[in-house]
Amino acid sequence: MTGRIRIGILEDQQVFRESLIALFQGAGMDVVAQSREAEGFLAQVREAKPDVVVVDIRLERPDSHEVGDGVKVVEALREQLPRTRALVLSSYRELPVMERCFQAGAAGFLCKLTVTSAELVAAVEQVSRGEWVVPADFMSPVQSAASTERAATPLDRLTLREREVLSLVASGADNLQISARLGITERTVKAHVSNLYRKLGVQNRVEMAMMAYQTGLSTPADAQHHP
């Protein structure tokens, strides 16, 4: 990626949203979309097409007791604008919440209660390069045990095609993009991904990518925009 990073911000607290705008602009980035509610934000993002969106997942409304769900915004972005990557910035720290965000298509997750300004700017830069920002405590005990078990020959049980699919998963590609890249049906891709879950003993695509990085099949630097 060249040029200034284009940012979108979905955050319900106005003071915090304004602080984020100032932070990113001060870091040489362009804030091209910002809102407190999901519908207006999605409309802005479809028009501006930012590189990265920073999303809060609990969106309170001053005129209603309803609470908006930022995860649905992440899902919508993955479907409608796959080149716009989502970085979740939330006060939640629970593993199931992180899991849901990554399954929805988030490229990163940070806790707003502990992250520093420098860390947030660095995370946006990472995500804009196609990398992932994964909290250390996201890796499950099951995945950690599986990694130890496979340490000697982690890829021995994979076919050549499965390795190709794993490498593309690590780049951030979804099933449809992998299908187009490899010239196979999306149904076949799903079958290969299911085999990877079973053979690698991982629970989600982020852990799958971490496995690819750990074994040297892929590196975060390889995770660029894909066709």
Side-chain angles (χ1 to χ4, degrees), residues 155-169 177-185 187-196 199-200 208 217:
L155 302 181
D156 284 353
R157 289 176 288 175
L158 303 186
T159 66
L160 178 59
R161 179 62 87 189
E162 286 167 351
R163 293 186 186 206
E164 291 175 331
V165 172
L166 176 58
S167 180
L168 288 170
V169 167
Q177 292 164 332
I178 295 173
S179 170
R181 183 72 172 269
L182 298 181
I184 57 181
T185 67
R187 182 176 180 179
T188 300
V189 174
K190 289 179 180 178
H192 285 312
V193 171
S194 294
N195 287 338
L196 288 170
K199 291 183 177 182
L200 297 179
M208 197 178 291
L217 180 66

XYZ file of all heavy atoms in Angstrom, residues 155-169 177-185 187-196 199-200 208 217:
303
model
N 3.318 -29.929 9.004
C 2.576 -29.930 7.749
C 2.569 -31.288 7.045
O 2.071 -31.399 5.934
C 3.166 -28.881 6.791
C 3.187 -27.441 7.303
C 3.771 -26.519 6.249
C 1.804 -26.978 7.702
N 3.102 -32.289 7.712
C 3.241 -33.585 7.060
C 1.917 -34.178 6.590
O 1.873 -34.911 5.606
C 3.930 -34.589 8.000
C 5.425 -34.330 8.085
O 5.910 -33.483 7.316
O 6.086 -34.971 8.918
N 0.849 -33.881 7.320
C -0.433 -34.501 6.994
C -1.219 -33.731 5.938
O -2.314 -34.138 5.550
C -1.283 -34.628 8.272
C -0.761 -35.677 9.243
C -1.586 -35.696 10.521
N -1.322 -34.524 11.338
C -1.973 -34.239 12.464
N -2.942 -35.025 12.878
N -1.664 -33.163 13.159
N -0.680 -32.623 5.451
C -1.402 -31.815 4.477
C -1.016 -32.172 3.048
O 0.143 -32.423 2.745
C -1.118 -30.325 4.701
C -1.439 -29.739 6.077
C -1.233 -28.229 6.045
C -2.845 -30.088 6.524
N -2.020 -32.168 2.156
C -1.742 -32.335 0.733
C -1.210 -31.017 0.182
O -1.292 -29.966 0.833
C -3.008 -32.720 -0.034
O -3.934 -31.618 0.021
C -3.663 -33.961 0.568
N -0.684 -31.043 -1.034
C -0.184 -29.826 -1.662
C -1.296 -28.790 -1.790
O -1.094 -27.606 -1.514
C 0.402 -30.144 -3.042
C 0.923 -28.939 -3.837
C 2.024 -28.222 -3.076
C 1.427 -29.390 -5.209
N -2.487 -29.236 -2.193
C -3.608 -28.313 -2.343
C -4.007 -27.711 -0.998
O -4.309 -26.519 -0.895
C -4.804 -29.020 -2.969
C -6.026 -28.135 -3.144
C -5.741 -26.969 -4.089
N -5.968 -27.339 -5.467
C -5.641 -26.605 -6.513
N -5.028 -25.445 -6.316
N -5.888 -26.998 -7.752
N -3.993 -28.530 0.051
C -4.331 -28.027 1.380
C -3.322 -26.978 1.837
O -3.684 -25.991 2.482
C -4.402 -29.176 2.383
C -5.648 -30.039 2.224
C -5.591 -31.340 2.996
O -4.500 -31.680 3.530
O -6.620 -32.031 3.065
N -2.054 -27.162 1.466
C -1.041 -26.162 1.815
C -1.310 -24.853 1.076
O -1.127 -23.762 1.629
C 0.354 -26.682 1.488
C 0.800 -27.852 2.344
C 2.232 -28.226 2.063
N 2.633 -29.434 2.767
C 3.878 -29.714 3.098
N 4.838 -28.865 2.795
N 4.171 -30.825 3.733
N -1.730 -24.966 -0.176
C -2.054 -23.765 -0.951
C -3.231 -23.019 -0.307
O -3.197 -21.789 -0.172
C -2.407 -24.146 -2.386
C -1.230 -24.660 -3.201
C -1.647 -25.133 -4.578
O -2.803 -25.587 -4.732
O -0.818 -25.047 -5.502
N -4.251 -23.770 0.083
C -5.409 -23.154 0.722
C -5.014 -22.521 2.054
O -5.416 -21.392 2.374
C -6.529 -24.199 0.937
C -7.662 -23.608 1.791
C -7.081 -24.676 -0.404
N -4.193 -23.211 2.833
C -3.741 -22.686 4.121
C -2.978 -21.380 3.936
O -3.171 -20.416 4.683
C -2.857 -23.716 4.824
C -2.227 -23.283 6.157
C -3.295 -22.876 7.165
C -1.355 -24.401 6.732
N -2.120 -21.325 2.932
C -1.352 -20.111 2.676
C -2.266 -18.945 2.323
O -2.058 -17.803 2.771
C -0.357 -20.360 1.540
O 0.405 -19.203 1.279
N -3.320 -19.214 1.550
C -4.250 -18.155 1.170
C -5.116 -17.724 2.358
O -5.437 -16.542 2.501
C -5.124 -18.622 0.008
C -4.385 -18.718 -1.335
C -5.244 -19.409 -2.381
C -3.967 -17.330 -1.814
N -5.498 -18.679 3.198
C -6.220 -18.329 4.423
C -5.359 -17.385 5.265
O -5.833 -16.397 5.814
C -6.591 -19.589 5.235
C -7.061 -19.203 6.644
C -7.692 -20.378 4.533
N -12.679 -15.895 -2.531
C -11.434 -15.404 -3.120
C -10.452 -16.555 -3.373
O -9.745 -16.576 -4.383
C -10.810 -14.353 -2.196
C -11.636 -13.074 -2.132
C -11.264 -12.189 -0.956
O -10.809 -12.673 0.080
N -11.467 -10.893 -1.096
N -10.413 -17.530 -2.453
C -9.552 -18.694 -2.645
C -10.022 -19.487 -3.855
O -9.214 -19.970 -4.667
C -9.553 -19.582 -1.385
C -8.914 -18.839 -0.209
C -8.808 -20.896 -1.642
C -9.024 -19.566 1.115
N -11.336 -19.620 -4.007
C -11.908 -20.319 -5.149
C -11.458 -19.694 -6.460
O -11.020 -20.397 -7.382
C -13.442 -20.288 -5.049
O -14.044 -20.744 -6.228
N -11.527 -18.363 -6.541
C -11.122 -17.662 -7.755
C -9.619 -17.784 -7.988
O -9.167 -17.962 -9.129
C -11.526 -16.187 -7.655
N -8.856 -17.712 -6.913
C -7.390 -17.755 -7.031
C -6.900 -19.119 -7.519
O -5.979 -19.203 -8.351
C -6.782 -17.420 -5.669
C -5.261 -17.353 -5.648
C -4.749 -16.112 -6.355
N -3.327 -15.983 -6.163
C -2.774 -15.295 -5.160
N -3.550 -14.678 -4.295
N -1.479 -15.215 -5.037
N -7.509 -20.201 -7.022
C -7.046 -21.552 -7.342
C -7.823 -22.196 -8.494
O -7.456 -23.287 -8.949
C -7.122 -22.447 -6.103
C -6.248 -22.033 -4.912
C -6.409 -23.021 -3.766
C -4.778 -21.930 -5.321
N -8.902 -21.554 -8.939
C -9.674 -22.105 -10.036
C -10.460 -23.348 -9.646
O -10.643 -24.266 -10.463
N -10.938 -23.387 -8.408
C -11.743 -24.506 -7.928
C -13.057 -23.961 -7.373
O -13.179 -22.759 -7.162
C -11.008 -25.322 -6.836
C -10.611 -24.425 -5.654
C -9.772 -25.992 -7.425
C -9.865 -25.153 -4.531
N -14.027 -24.827 -7.168
C -15.326 -24.360 -6.688
C -15.240 -23.958 -5.223
O -14.372 -24.435 -4.476
C -16.405 -25.443 -6.842
O -16.112 -26.527 -5.956
C -16.472 -25.944 -8.277
N -17.318 -24.814 -3.021
C -17.635 -26.016 -2.250
C -16.366 -26.831 -1.980
O -16.165 -27.356 -0.879
C -18.651 -26.860 -3.014
C -19.101 -28.118 -2.273
C -20.178 -28.845 -3.048
N -20.626 -30.042 -2.363
C -21.564 -30.854 -2.808
N -22.184 -30.574 -3.955
N -21.917 -31.921 -2.124
N -15.497 -26.912 -2.981
C -14.233 -27.632 -2.804
C -13.343 -26.918 -1.794
O -12.676 -27.560 -0.967
C -13.498 -27.771 -4.154
O -14.328 -28.486 -5.064
C -12.176 -28.512 -3.990
N -13.338 -25.590 -1.855
C -12.563 -24.814 -0.885
C -13.045 -25.115 0.534
O -12.244 -25.334 1.448
C -12.662 -23.303 -1.170
C -11.975 -22.507 -0.057
C -12.031 -22.971 -2.506
N -14.368 -25.132 0.730
C -14.928 -25.412 2.047
C -14.486 -26.784 2.547
O -14.198 -26.964 3.734
C -16.453 -25.330 2.003
C -16.984 -23.917 1.832
C -18.502 -23.909 1.778
C -19.045 -22.497 1.614
N -20.522 -22.481 1.510
N -14.425 -27.750 1.627
C -13.987 -29.092 2.013
C -12.525 -29.079 2.453
O -12.155 -29.711 3.459
C -14.171 -30.061 0.841
N -11.687 -28.336 1.724
C -10.271 -28.252 2.098
C -10.110 -27.551 3.452
O -9.289 -27.969 4.283
C -9.486 -27.477 1.032
C -9.239 -28.245 -0.226
N -8.761 -29.539 -0.237
C -9.409 -27.898 -1.534
C -8.630 -29.950 -1.484
N -9.017 -28.976 -2.285
N -10.888 -26.476 3.668
C -10.801 -25.754 4.934
C -11.237 -26.652 6.087
O -10.618 -26.665 7.158
C -11.653 -24.463 4.887
C -11.739 -23.825 6.271
C -11.059 -23.468 3.891
N -12.274 -27.453 5.878
C -12.724 -28.393 6.911
C -11.629 -29.394 7.239
O -11.396 -29.730 8.409
C -13.983 -29.129 6.440
O -15.072 -28.241 6.312
N -10.933 -29.869 6.208
C -9.819 -30.800 6.428
C -8.697 -30.132 7.217
O -8.059 -30.764 8.075
C -9.279 -31.307 5.091
C -10.220 -32.292 4.426
O -11.059 -32.907 5.083
N -10.101 -32.433 3.119
N -8.458 -28.845 6.943
C -7.407 -28.127 7.667
C -7.759 -27.982 9.144
O -6.896 -28.147 10.010
C -7.185 -26.743 7.036
C -6.496 -26.739 5.669
C -6.548 -25.353 5.045
C -5.055 -27.218 5.794
N -7.118 -31.536 10.574
C -5.724 -31.981 10.587
C -4.842 -31.115 11.490
O -3.893 -31.626 12.101
C -5.166 -32.000 9.166
C -5.775 -33.074 8.271
C -5.114 -33.082 6.899
C -5.654 -34.198 6.017
N -4.982 -34.237 4.692
N -5.129 -29.825 11.538
C -4.290 -28.918 12.326
C -4.789 -28.757 13.758
O -4.083 -28.230 14.603
C -4.211 -27.546 11.648
C -3.566 -27.531 10.260
C -3.571 -26.105 9.705
C -2.159 -28.096 10.287
N -5.575 -20.839 12.391
C -5.046 -21.502 11.199
C -3.906 -20.675 10.597
O -2.855 -21.208 10.212
C -6.178 -21.675 10.181
C -5.891 -22.678 9.088
S -7.321 -22.856 7.967
C -8.505 -23.665 9.055
N 5.201 -21.603 6.602
C 4.506 -21.691 5.330
C 4.134 -20.312 4.823
O 4.103 -20.048 3.631
C 3.243 -22.551 5.474
C 2.395 -22.730 4.212
C 3.181 -23.528 3.177
C 1.081 -23.434 4.522
